[in-house]
């Protein structure tokens, strides 16, 4: 009886350690993904239809311009550096879009590191955690926001089709980014951990 009990305990411990190893390995791969990505975060002036519309206009034109901005061999670090070097130009570009669309408010462009929850898009998933971000506040910034990935360019259909994520991420990261429902529990565990860590770092 004791022998059977010991076997049961051993099997249970084996399953626990296997699960822990799986989650830790998954978490490390998520860290690698965050290190290779620059997010785009746009806050609309308000939730009115017209303010939400111009938010999307700014989004589309900015993502399209990113193809030129990120030309050549790039990493997330060099992409973020290029955004920093062109911060005033980007702000002027967005303000020109707002003016052409007939708006009298302006945009504020910030380069920050901020927390994002897990987000599943049509063809890829971004794990929760802190990412380098190009943050754009339109007017008062009191409307619903929009976020996606600016580098590598995954957030426009035409761009994502031409983006070789295998050149950006290793094999494990590619599997996660292109994941199916089998990773849902692990995404949730990582999100809980990253949310707690983010709150602790800002307290």
């Amino acid at each position: 009886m004791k022998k059977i009990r010991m076997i049961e305990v051993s099997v249970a411990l084996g399953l626990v350690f296997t699960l822990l190893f799986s989650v830790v390995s998954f978490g490390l791969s998520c860290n690698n993904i965050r290190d290779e990505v620059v997010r785009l975060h746009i806050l609309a002036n308000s939730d009115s239809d017209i303010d939400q519309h111009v938010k999307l206009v700014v989004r589309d034109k900015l993502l399209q311009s990113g193809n030129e901005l990120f030309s050549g061999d790039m990493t997330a670090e060099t992409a973020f550096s290029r955004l920093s070097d062109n911060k005033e130009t980007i702000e002027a570009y967005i303000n020109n879009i707002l003016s052409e669309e007939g708006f009298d408010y302006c945009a504020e462009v910030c380069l920050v590191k901020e927390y994002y929850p897990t987000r599943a898009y049509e063809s890829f998933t971004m794990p929760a955690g802190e990412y380098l971000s190009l943050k754009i506040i339109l007017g008062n910034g009191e409307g619903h926001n929009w976020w996606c990935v600016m580098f590598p360019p995954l957030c426009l259909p035409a761009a994502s089709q031409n983006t070789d994520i295998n050149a950006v991420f290793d094999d494990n990261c590619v599997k996660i980014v292109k994941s199916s429902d089998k990773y849902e529990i692990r995404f949730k565990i990582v999100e809980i951990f990253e949310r707690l860590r983010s709150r602790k770092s800002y307290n």
Side-chain angles (χ1 to χ4, degrees):
M1 190 71 179
K2 286 185 178 179
K3 187 175 181 180
I4 295 175
R5 181 62 178 168
M6 288 179 63
I7 293 173
E8 291 175 343
V9 170
S10 296
V11 170
L13 287 174
L15 291 173
V16 169
F17 283 121
T18 299
L19 177 61
L20 286 174
F21 177 79
S22 175
V23 171
V24 169
S25 177
F26 185 83
L28 290 174
S29 293
C30 288
N31 283 338
N32 293 336
I33 291 170
R34 288 189 286 269
D35 289 342
E36 297 300 331
V37 166
V38 177
R39 303 293 289 263
L40 174 61
H41 185 190
I42 305 177
L43 290 84
N45 178 60
S46 75
D47 281 335
S48 70
D49 290 344
I50 193 167
D51 281 337
Q52 287 295 312
H53 168 73
V54 79
K55 175 189 72 175
L56 301 180
V57 171
V58 168
R59 174 200 69 181
D60 291 346
K61 290 187 177 181
L62 194 60
L63 287 173
Q64 288 168 355
S65 69
N67 290 333
E68 297 178 6
L69 189 63
F70 299 140
S71 60
D73 294 332
M74 302 290 291
T75 64
E77 184 177 353
T78 54
F80 193 75
S81 177
R82 189 164 293 183
L83 287 170
S84 181
D85 292 342
N86 289 276
K87 178 176 173 289
E88 293 182 359
T89 301
I90 294 169
E91 192 167 87
Y93 176 68
I94 297 170
N95 284 331
N96 185 59
I97 295 171
L98 293 173
S99 178
E100 288 179 346
E101 294 289 327
F103 293 87
D104 58 3
Y105 55 74
C106 296
E108 178 184 358
V109 174
C110 311
L111 293 163
V112 297
K113 193 168 187 177
E114 57 183 350
Y115 172 83
Y116 292 83
T118 302
R119 181 65 184 268
Y121 298 91
E122 281 189 18
S123 58
F124 65 96
T125 300
M126 285 288 112
E130 292 188 347
Y131 291 80
L132 294 172
S133 297
L134 177 67
K135 184 176 182 179
I136 299 166
I137 304 170
L138 303 179
N140 295 321
E142 296 176 351
H144 277 90
N145 60 179
W146 181 92
W147 64 74
C148 196
V149 179
M150 189 164 194
F151 178 87
L154 297 173
C155 285
L156 282 179
S160 61
Q161 289 172 8
N162 295 322
T163 299
D164 181 12
I165 64 171
N166 293 284
V168 179
F169 303 124
D170 63 30
D171 290 343
N172 286 333
C173 292
V174 170
K175 289 178 182 177
I176 292 172
V177 170
K178 291 185 172 182
S179 65
S180 61
D181 293 341
K182 67 179 181 178
Y183 289 132
E184 186 175 346
I185 294 176
R186 278 175 277 186
F187 273 127
K188 195 63 181 178
I189 293 172
V190 167
E191 181 165 354
I192 292 170
F193 175 78
E194 290 296 328
R195 187 187 300 124
L196 291 173
R197 187 170 72 167
S198 179
R199 287 176 180 174
K200 184 177 179 181
S201 66
Y202 289 111
N203 287 337

